Every structure is written in C-alpha cells, then in structure tokens.
Amino acid sequence: MTENTQQQPASNPELPTQYVPAEVEGKLYERWVERGYFAADAKSDKEPYTVVIPPPNVTGSLHLGHAFEHTLIDALTRRKRMQGYETLWQPGMDHAGIATQNVVERELAKEGKSRHDLGREAFVERVWQWKGESGGQISGQMRRLGDGVDWSRERFTMDEGLSEAVQTIFKKLYDDELIYRAERIINWCPRCLTAISDIEVEYQDDDGELVSLKYGDGEDSVVVATTRAETMLGDTAVAVHPDDERYAHLIGKRIKLPLTDRTIPVVADEHVDPAFGTGAVKVTPAHDPNDFEIGRRHDLPNITVMDERAVITVPGPFEGLDRMEARAAIVAALRAEGRIVAEKRPYTHSVGHCSRCKTTIEPRLSLQWWVKVAPLAKAAGDVVRDGQVKIHPAEMEPRYFGWVDNLRDWCISRQLWWGHRIPVWYGPDGEVVCVGPDDEAPTGEGWTQDTDVLDTWFSSGLWPFSTLGWPEQTESVEKFYPNSVLVTGYDILFFWVARMMMFGLYAMDGTPPFHTIVLHGMVRDEHGKKMSKTFGNVVNPLDWMDTYGTDAVRFTLARGANPGVDVPIGEDWVQGSRNFANKIWNATRFAMMNGATVEGDLPDAAEMSASDRWILSRLNSVVAEVDAYYEDYQFAKLSDTLFHFAWDEVFDWYVELSKTSFFAGGEPARVSGRVLGEVLDVTLRLLHPVIPFVTETLWTTLTGRESVVIADWPATVLVPGADAPGAFRDAAAEREIGNLQQVITEVRRFRSDQGLQPGQKVPARLDLSGTALAAHEAAIRQVLRLQPAGDGFHATATLPVAGATVELDLSGTIDVEAERKRLTKDLAAAEKEKAQATAKLGNEAFLAKAPDNVVDKIRGRLAKAEADIERLAAQLAALPQG
C-alpha cells in the first residue's frame, strides 16, 4: 500500500497527446520555488541532509560539467527530501578573483582605460556593478536545469557574512602562527600580474631549446645547461656534488660569469645529481625554487633580473627586453664570445602555464603571505585514514593522500584588487597588526593596509560552514554542519576539497566538513575526447535542453555517471533519453485512459492475475536495487535499472498484458487498473529525482496530489492476502511470466525471421496443457496477432518453447524452399564460426599470449554462435516437410 490515499484524482484525468517540455518546465520550477519545497528549516526536528554546491564562478555560465554535477546532487537531495530528511542544498557563487578582474579589465580596455586610471576603490566598485548587471547568469540556468536549491540562502564569497568569516579565520591562523609573511619563490603570471598557487599551474610539453654554456676559463671552467638562458644574468653560483672528483679543485673558487662583470663561487651541494648532464648546475636563487633552497643553504645573494611583466631589468644591453627576446639575444651574445658548447633545438620539455590565461609562468622571488600547512594537512589525511570521512570511489584515496601528505606551504596572497583584502596593517615604525572583524583598524599617519588580496580558494575553503553563518554559532551551523556529502569532480580534489578539509577541521573543533566525498569524472564527447573550444566539440547544454527537454539531458548524464570515471556524451544519446521521456508519457497516458488508478486499497493477492503479481514482485525488487545503488552513489546503475524496468517490464510487457484485462472489463479490469496505478505511482516516484519535470506532470495527474517533490519516497509494496508478511515477492509468478515472455519472444523472433509484418494475423494452434500458461492464451494470441485454428488449418511450423507448443499455419505467407535454403546457409555459417572460436580457445599457446579482452571477445563469439545454431536448427525443424 502507498501513502496519502485520502486525496483522490479527478475521475477522468487527462493529459495532452504529446509531452512538450518547454510548455511545462519553467512553470513547474517556479511553482516548486514559490511553494517553498526546497527551503530548509534549521528549527526542524527532522534529520538533516546537507550538500553545498561547488560554487560556480560569477563569470561563468552553465556548461555540461555543471549540468552533470548538478544532476547528481539534485537527484541525491530530491530523494532525501522525499525520504523525510530536512534537506539543504546550499547555493552560491565564487567571486573568482583573477577571472573576474580580467573580465572587467577587458571591458575597461574597450573604453581605452586601465584599472589604474580608475584607482582601487573605483575599480572595485566597477566590479560590483558588473557583478550586479552581468555576473551570475548561471543562477537562471540552474533554474532551467531544475536545481532544487534553497534560493533564500544563496551566498556569494564576497558578501558581508563570508567576508567576516574570512577575516576571522585569517586572524585565528595568524595568531596561531600558521600564517606568515616571507620571501619565497612563487609561480608568477606576467599576464595576470599575480602570484598563483602550485595547483593553478598547468604543465604541458613545449618545444624550447637546451643550451650548454661554459662559465670561467681554462682549468677553472665548467659547463652548465639551461632552457632559460636569460636567467643567467641572475646566477650567483655554480653548484656541484661534494663527492664529484671532476670539480673538487673548483669547490670554493670563484669563476667569471659571462656577459657580466661579476664572479660567482662554485659551491658543493648534495642536491646536485653528478650523473645528470655535466654534473654542474647554474644557481639562480631568485628565479628557481630548487636554486632558492641551494641559495639559502649557502647564503647566496638573490638577484632578481626581471620585473613583474617578465621584462629584463639588469642594466646593460638586454635591459627592457621581454624574457623571450632576451633569451635569443643572450644566446647570440654568448655564441659570439664562444661560450656556447652545445645547442639542442627543438628541446621538448614540461613547462608551467597559468591555468587562467595560459601564459608561461615565471618562478619569481617575492614577498608573499603563506599558510603553514603541515599540521592542517596531517589532520586532513588522518580523518580519511581513520574512516571519519569516506572517499567514494575508494580507488581515489591514493590521489588524495598523495596530495595532502606532500603539501607545501600555501601562498595565499594575490596581487589583485578584486578579492578579500588581507587584513594586515603596517605602521610607520615597522609595526604589523592583524585585524579581526571585531577589531578597530589602526589609524593615524603612516598606517597602511596590505595591498594584496587572498587567493580565491581561501574563501571557498570555508564554504561548508561560512555559508551557514559561521563565525556566529547560528541555528543553521548547529543543524546543517557537517555536510552529509560532497559531490565534486576529481579534478578539484586538490584545489578545493583538501582546502575545505583543512579549514573545516581547524575552525570547527576537529569536525570534518562532510562525512563522504563523492568524486565524479569529467564530461567528454561521444568519442571520449576532452571537450575544448580548440577541438570544436564543446556543447552548450541549454541548446540540448531547448531541443530535447531538460529531463532528457539529465537522464543521459546520470546514465553515464559511473563513480570516478569520465562521462562520454553525444547528441544521439540525448535523443534516446527524449524518447524515453516520451515513452513514459505515452504509456502513462494510455494506462490512465484505460483505468489505471491509485484509488482505494490494492486488491487481495488472490484476486490478482499472475502478471499482476509478477509486476508487483518485480517492482519491490527494483525499489530495493535502486535504494542500494543510491547508497553506493551508483547513478549509472540506478538509472539503467529504472530505464529497463520502466520501458521493458512495465510499458512493453505489463501494460501490453493488461490489455486483455482491460478489454474483458469488469473485475479483471478493476484489479489490473489498480495494480497498474500502483506500479506507475511508485515508478514515477523512483524516476523523479533524475527526471523531475515529466514525472511531476504525470504523477500529479495520476494521483491528484500536490507534488511528487514532497511525496514519500517509495517503500516496498505490501499486498493484502499475500502468503508472507512484509515486502510482496512472488517467485512463482516471476517464473510463470518469464515462461510467457519466452513464448512470446520466440514466436515474435520466428515471425520476424519469416518476414511477417508485426500486425499480420496468422492462424495458430496453442498447446499449453500441463503448464501455467493456459491462463494466458488470450494474452498470447492478442500480443502475437494469432487467430484461432479454423477449418483447413495446416500446421506449417511447430515451435516448442517453455513446455508449450505453438503451431503456425504459414501457408501462402512464405516460400518454404527459399526459407529452408536461407536458414541452411545461415546455420552453416554459424557452425563455421563455432568451429573457429572453439579451435582458438583450445589452443594453449594462443591463450597464453592473447590479452584477456581478446579471449573474452572470442568466448562471446562462441556463445553467440552456439545460440544461433540452436535457434536456426529449431527454425529449420519448424518448417513444413515435403
């Protein structure tokens, strides 16, 4: 029995003949929001279920990756809401420091201005203006997708509350000596003019040059190799391994640095690999992270040779040249002095690029703010190791540990104007004051605030609790922290997930920000290729939603969502999902027109036909399977299970078999109508989290109730008069209908093989004696278009199947001799295929060398050949003799 039977549908519910998504989706979504279905109540005594949205950039728009991720989260939260949880899907957007500043600077450039023309305050005001007018279009697109978020709680990482959270945790980290300021080598983008973190650097193989240079002269010379010849202007040493006898006489000496008036020392350092190259390396502490560490160990000076735009600043002939121009000029000058020992072009090597603008990054010595991550990262690793936080799929755990266990201190300052300003003031006498949200900033002559802003990931790392009102201990913090699950792509496991883990544990007294981390893959095109503007294969999901409906896009994405695996998607698959939505619509409409209803209790088991009991038994199995898949985040499997159950078993089999009862009328029609109503009710509720729009329209029309969004999640169906209490299961009915399906399928195949049209009627005699199929003769005849065997009946084909015998009179419908020749030829081909496959599988040498997938493929060919032989032999035997 299902719940809420007190509100009954109209006596003659009607649906349009066609489902037109554009006519219903927008209206339905606004109705859901207006009625507050997605609003989460912190005062509720229901068990909480919380998920935060991975905050999209304010500059962004909905792409397939968003649509994919949001579909999964929406499915989880819709189901939990139906299960009675106080469900919060927290929405919001990220201010996206570099990306947003770049957008507004481009707009200013069209006016012939730069941010410096406006000044800091006016520029920031201009960004806020842009955000209000143009930013955040993704919110409207999320509504198109059907996202069940609580819009009343929407947050922005630069709003007042989140700014207070950022200032609070910065102050706390600073006071605990986990934030410090120091000169270190950072990744610098000469285009964005800011530091970027290690994880914002994208490495790719570029063609460059490897140049070997001779420093010094005669016996006091050494050869070093470099791909960045321009940095030699900042060399302050040459390093060799202390045990390398080739250079023992040079250690401690000074040699001439070419193109300069300087000499530099030769130092011994164990970092140098004597077996690599010449065993000697140039040391440029201000422009290389490894060289910086060598420089610290040997107290070498740091000479910066480029400005923030990667232009050479060293006085002399190269001053004012861009780094790439300087590289060519310096190599030419060294060649002219006879200092070039060897050159290799092209030399392919891995080069870091800014993930935002793709500019080659420049390692640069810079005074920046840093988070000391060691204790924070250890805590983030420990909670996964001890099981407090689960990573799904578990195979992703090594990637997580590989990151947090080797995390270097995090550079959090950015040389931008848009973002959270670092809350540190400097006094006229060298004072440094960190200001919390309740502190008064120092005033007076000579006091200035740090000009840098914080890395965007600093504020988004607070997202699971800052969005709930922290640092205040709000009702929402009490109710909805920690989050139940985080659903995000494995590609930001390092960017975002590790940050949230570190900050959540630190700020929330050791409580991790979520119980489970569910990692999904990337959306790719139908050939498995990465979607890229360069490849021309980027898809705007809104175009597909306009053409095929939102449900079709969502269902396609969900059916491809295997844990942690990339998701290929093509338009043909979306068309297939659109066909599924149409199938649901048409079959439900037909069922309702023929008496499907949720009115009253389910009939007693004794009143039901075997097909009624079969579909209810299968329904209970599917409910259990879908629940298990949800708990294991197996979206592809649960979607596939529902697809085949709805299309194959409910619509293609049960609805078809029920026609016999509906045509008979009376009590059989009443029973089947109520069973079919129950099956549709439960099936539509099971489908709703993934395809919300079509299911809402059908379910409310079928049941007459308010909304499937707030309906109960299906429990197992209980049938009055069943032999056993609890969930109804009927193995005997499942076997009986399985045999019935076998008979119908085999006869259909035979008819098709004979070239008969599906609607073509054929005289037939059925021998169902001794089987449970006798009760289904009317259904068999109706489905297969089999006429009674009248006078003059001549059995030209006999099909034994599932203990029954079906005799067909095909007189005048086929050329028996031609059909016998065709089947004999096909049988010979199948037997040849079987022989070849058997021979290969019997060859031990072949099996020892062949890959597993090749062997599996041959086994599949053998199984198919054997099945074909059995089928073709039966068809030949069924043909009339003589």
Side-chain angles (χ1 to χ4, degrees):
M1 291 281 300
T2 56
E3 75 301 328
N4 298 333
T5 55
Q6 71 276 9
Q7 186 179 356
Q8 303 302 340
S11 56
N12 292 299
E14 293 184 359
L15 289 166
T17 55
Q18 286 186 317
Y19 175 53
V20 183
E23 294 180 1
V24 301
E25 291 177 352
K27 296 175 185 176
L28 282 183
Y29 188 82
E30 290 310 313
R31 185 190 307 161
W32 293 335
V33 173
E34 288 168 6
R35 293 181 178 179
Y37 294 158
F38 306 138
D41 182 5
K43 298 181 184 297
S44 166
D45 59 1
K46 296 179 182 178
E47 185 176 348
Y49 186 82
T50 314
V51 185
V52 293
I53 194 171
N57 288 352
V58 68
T59 58
S61 60
L62 191 73
H63 55 65
L64 268 178
H66 288 125
F68 173 55
E69 185 168 80
H70 290 201
T71 294
L72 305 187
I73 300 173
D74 198 42
L76 290 175
T77 52
R78 284 180 182 269
R79 173 175 176 260
K80 287 296 183 179
R81 193 176 291 113
M82 295 171 76
Q83 287 182 314
Y85 288 78
E86 193 60 42
T87 303
L88 169 60
W89 183 9
Q90 172 68 53
M93 286 180 292
D94 192 280
H95 66 279
I98 296 176
T100 304
Q101 179 158 318
N102 284 347
V103 167
V104 178
E105 287 197 80
R106 284 196 294 269
E107 292 297 312
L108 284 174
K110 294 176 184 177
E111 303 169 15
K113 298 178 182 178
S114 74
R115 61 182 163 121
H116 300 285
D117 294 324
L118 272 65
R120 185 167 192 145
E121 288 187 13
F123 177 77
V124 171
E125 185 178 334
R126 178 70 176 263
V127 179
W128 277 108
Q129 179 185 341
W130 174 87
K131 190 258 181 186
E133 294 173 356
S134 307
Q137 61 175 309
I138 201 167
S139 295
Q141 296 166 344
M142 286 167 60
R143 293 172 182 265
R144 283 286 313 276
L145 191 62
D147 288 358
V149 300
D150 185 347
W151 289 110
S152 69
R153 293 172 174 268
E154 186 176 12
R155 303 304 298 269
F156 180 54
T157 51
M158 286 282 286
D159 69 28
E160 185 176 350
L162 270 67
S163 295
E164 181 183 351
V166 168
Q167 200 171 350
T168 298
I169 201 162
F170 187 100
K171 171 72 170 171
K172 179 174 169 59
L173 288 162
Y174 182 87
D175 289 346
D176 288 345
E177 299 184 350
L178 291 173
I179 280 183
Y180 64 94
R181 195 180 190 217
E183 271 198 327
R184 297 282 188 275
I185 293 289
I186 47 88
N187 303 300
W188 181 265
C189 176
R191 161 63 184 80
C192 297
L193 299 180
T194 183
I196 60 175
S197 66
D198 291 346
I199 54 179
E200 293 171 303
V201 178
E202 293 179 348
Y203 287 91
Q204 66 182 47
D205 287 340
D206 288 355
D207 284 340
E209 60 181 354
L210 181 67
V211 183
S212 297
L213 315 174
K214 184 176 76 170
Y215 287 8
D217 295 296
E219 291 186 356
D220 291 345
S221 66
V222 65
V223 175
V224 298
T226 181
T227 59
R228 301 167 67 221
E230 68 279 8
T231 64
M232 60 86 59
L233 298 175
D235 286 0
T236 57
V238 170
V240 297
H241 194 275
D243 298 331
D244 194 334
E245 294 181 357
R246 292 173 296 175
Y247 303 112
H249 68 289
L250 285 177
I251 295 173
K253 289 187 177 181
R254 301 185 71 88
I255 59 175
K256 180 75 167 55
L257 180 65
L259 306 183
T260 74
D261 58 2
R262 295 191 291 116
T263 60
I264 57 176
V266 177
V267 300
D269 196 282
E270 292 187 352
H271 169 76
V272 179
D273 180 0
F276 183 77
T278 64
V281 296
K282 59 191 287 296
V283 182
T284 320
H287 291 278
D288 183 274
N290 293 320
D291 293 2
F292 176 77
E293 296 301 326
I294 293 175
R296 291 178 68 182
R297 288 193 288 272
H298 297 276
D299 198 24
L300 300 174
N302 301 314
I303 300 177
T304 299
V305 300
M306 293 178 225
D307 67 11
E308 61 184 7
R309 297 183 185 276
V311 172
I312 300 298
T313 58
V314 177
F318 311 111
E319 184 177 9
L321 294 180
D322 169 83
R323 56 182 167 167
M324 300 304 177
E325 297 170 334
R327 181 176 300 171
I330 288 172
V331 169
L334 289 167
R335 188 182 299 113
E337 287 194 3
R339 294 286 176 178
I340 301 294
V341 175
E343 296 179 72
K344 183 177 182 181
R345 294 190 186 90
Y347 178 72
T348 302
H349 60 129
S350 181
V351 178
H353 296 260
C354 173
S355 62
R356 300 296 196 290
C357 69
K358 312 309 177 187
T359 300
T360 300
I361 62 103
E362 187 65 41
R364 186 170 189 254
L365 185 64
S366 182
L367 184 62
Q368 301 284 346
W369 286 95
W370 305 80
V371 172
K372 188 183 298 182
V373 300
L376 305 175
K378 182 181 184 303
D382 288 346
V383 293
V384 174
R385 286 189 169 92
D386 66 19
Q388 289 185 62
V389 176
K390 305 289 186 185
I391 293 181
H392 186 88
E395 301 83 66
M396 288 287 180
E397 283 188 4
R399 295 182 65 162
Y400 177 79
F401 293 132
W403 181 253
V404 298
D405 292 348
N406 298 286
L407 201 58
R408 297 193 298 181
D409 284 1
W410 172 20
C411 177
I412 56 172
S413 45
R414 298 291 182 268
Q415 290 64 55
L416 304 171
W417 286 357
W418 173 244
H420 294 283
R421 189 110 173 241
I422 288 178
V424 172
W425 271 255
Y426 306 108
D429 297 319
E431 303 95 331
V432 179
V433 176
C434 181
V435 176
D438 299 325
D439 301 332
E440 290 290 334
T443 57
E445 187 175 350
W447 282 94
T448 58
Q449 186 178 358
D450 195 300
T451 57
D452 288 351
V453 300
L454 287 163
D455 178 11
T456 295
W457 298 103
F458 190 95
S459 51
S460 59
L462 314 180
W463 193 246
F465 50 92
S466 63
T467 52
L468 300 174
W470 187 90
E472 302 299 323
Q473 194 61 23
T474 63
E475 289 181 324
S476 292
V477 171
E478 290 282 351
K479 181 73 174 179
F480 297 114
Y481 187 89
N483 293 182
S484 305
V485 64
L486 174 74
V487 179
T488 191
Y490 63 69
D491 58 316
I492 58 173
L493 179 63
F494 317 133
F495 285 90
W496 190 44
V497 179
R499 310 274 192 244
M500 288 189 291
M501 288 284 278
M502 291 191 298
F503 280 171
L505 289 162
Y506 175 74
M508 305 301 285
D509 299 321
T511 302
F514 17 74
H515 299 301
T516 304
I517 301 168
V518 175
L519 298 171
H520 60 71
M522 311 295 291
V523 178
R524 297 181 176 270
D525 71 12
E526 58 191 307
H527 305 295
K529 196 172 185 179
K530 180 181 178 180
M531 288 193 174
S532 164
K533 292 179 182 178
T534 304
F535 300 148
N537 60 351
V538 173
V539 173
N540 183 347
L542 297 176
D543 293 340
W544 280 354
M545 289 156 67
D546 288 340
T547 305
Y548 304 109
T550 296
D551 287 329
V553 175
R554 289 175 58 122
F555 195 68
T556 304
L557 291 166
R559 283 193 81 182
N562 290 298
V565 178
D566 288 346
V567 183
I569 184 172
E571 189 167 2
D572 288 349
W573 306 338
V574 184
Q575 291 177 3
S577 296
R578 186 268 315 274
N579 295 342
F580 179 51
N582 288 341
K583 180 79 170 182
I584 298 169
W585 182 273
N586 294 332
T588 303
R589 182 173 180 272
F590 170 84
M592 292 168 64
M593 290 172 61
N594 285 275
T597 180
V598 296
E599 293 188 42
D601 294 341
L602 275 176
D604 191 278
E607 301 177 72
M608 295 181 185
S609 67
S611 59
D612 295 332
R613 299 193 305 277
W614 161 73
I615 198 62
L616 290 176
S617 182
R618 286 291 304 127
L619 179 63
N620 276 335
S621 295
V622 169
V623 169
E625 287 174 30
V626 169
D627 276 332
Y629 287 141
Y630 262 115
E631 294 305 313
D632 198 33
Y633 306 100
Q634 297 278 1
F635 297 98
K637 290 182 179 179
L638 71 89
S639 299
D640 212 48
T641 296
L642 287 171
F643 173 86
H644 288 292
F645 175 70
W647 191 309
D648 300 342
E649 298 185 77
V650 178
F651 302 140
D652 278 359
W653 282 106
Y654 183 66
V655 169
E656 191 70 25
L657 294 174
S658 297
K659 290 178 181 178
T660 304
S661 299
F662 291 142
F663 295 161
E667 190 62 13
R670 182 193 71 80
V671 171
S672 289
R674 180 63 189 89
V675 171
L676 182 52
E678 184 79 6
V679 172
L680 291 174
D681 171 15
V682 174
T683 302
L684 291 171
R685 281 185 283 150
L686 289 172
L687 284 164
H688 172 73
V690 180
I691 48 174
F693 293 107
V694 67
T695 52
E696 170 81 339
T697 305
L698 294 173
W699 189 85
T700 53
T701 306
L702 171 70
T703 66
R705 299 171 195 143
E706 182 180 345
S707 174
V708 70
V709 178
I710 54 172
D712 289 347
W713 180 250
T716 50
V717 177
L718 306 180
V719 176
D723 292 339
F728 178 74
R729 297 300 299 270
D730 193 327
E734 291 194 34
R735 285 193 299 272
E736 183 174 331
I737 299 304
N739 288 335
L740 175 63
Q741 291 172 322
Q742 191 177 348
V743 169
I744 291 174
T745 300
E746 190 61 33
V747 176
R748 274 179 173 164
R749 181 185 292 129
F750 181 78
R751 287 178 54 116
S752 175
D753 288 342
Q754 307 310 313
L756 300 179
Q757 296 300 314
Q760 188 173 348
K761 294 182 179 180
V762 176
R765 181 185 295 130
L766 308 183
D767 181 2
L768 309 175
S769 57
T771 74
L773 298 176
H776 300 285
E777 180 167 351
I780 292 171
R781 288 188 176 278
Q782 178 183 309
V783 171
L784 293 172
R785 306 294 190 270
L786 302 181
Q787 295 178 313
D791 293 340
F793 177 84
H794 176 62
T796 59
T798 302
L799 301 176
V801 56
T805 302
V806 179
E807 295 178 306
L808 303 175
D809 185 352
L810 304 179
S811 301
T813 61
I814 62 169
D815 183 331
V816 174
E817 285 307 312
E819 185 61 19
R820 181 175 283 110
K821 288 181 181 179
R822 184 185 71 83
L823 291 174
T824 301
K825 181 180 178 181
D826 291 348
L827 180 60
E831 288 172 338
K832 182 179 179 181
E833 175 72 6
K834 177 184 176 181
Q836 290 175 342
T838 300
K840 283 191 174 183
L841 293 174
N843 185 335
E844 293 297 335
F846 169 78
L847 292 177
K849 295 180 180 179
D852 289 345
N853 64 317
V854 172
V855 175
D856 289 343
K857 187 174 181 179
I858 294 172
R859 287 185 178 129
R861 284 168 47 193
L862 175 60
K864 182 179 183 301
E866 290 174 340
D868 287 344
I869 290 169
E870 183 179 355
R871 174 176 58 83
L872 294 166
Q875 290 175 17
L876 273 169
L879 289 175
Q881 302 299 314

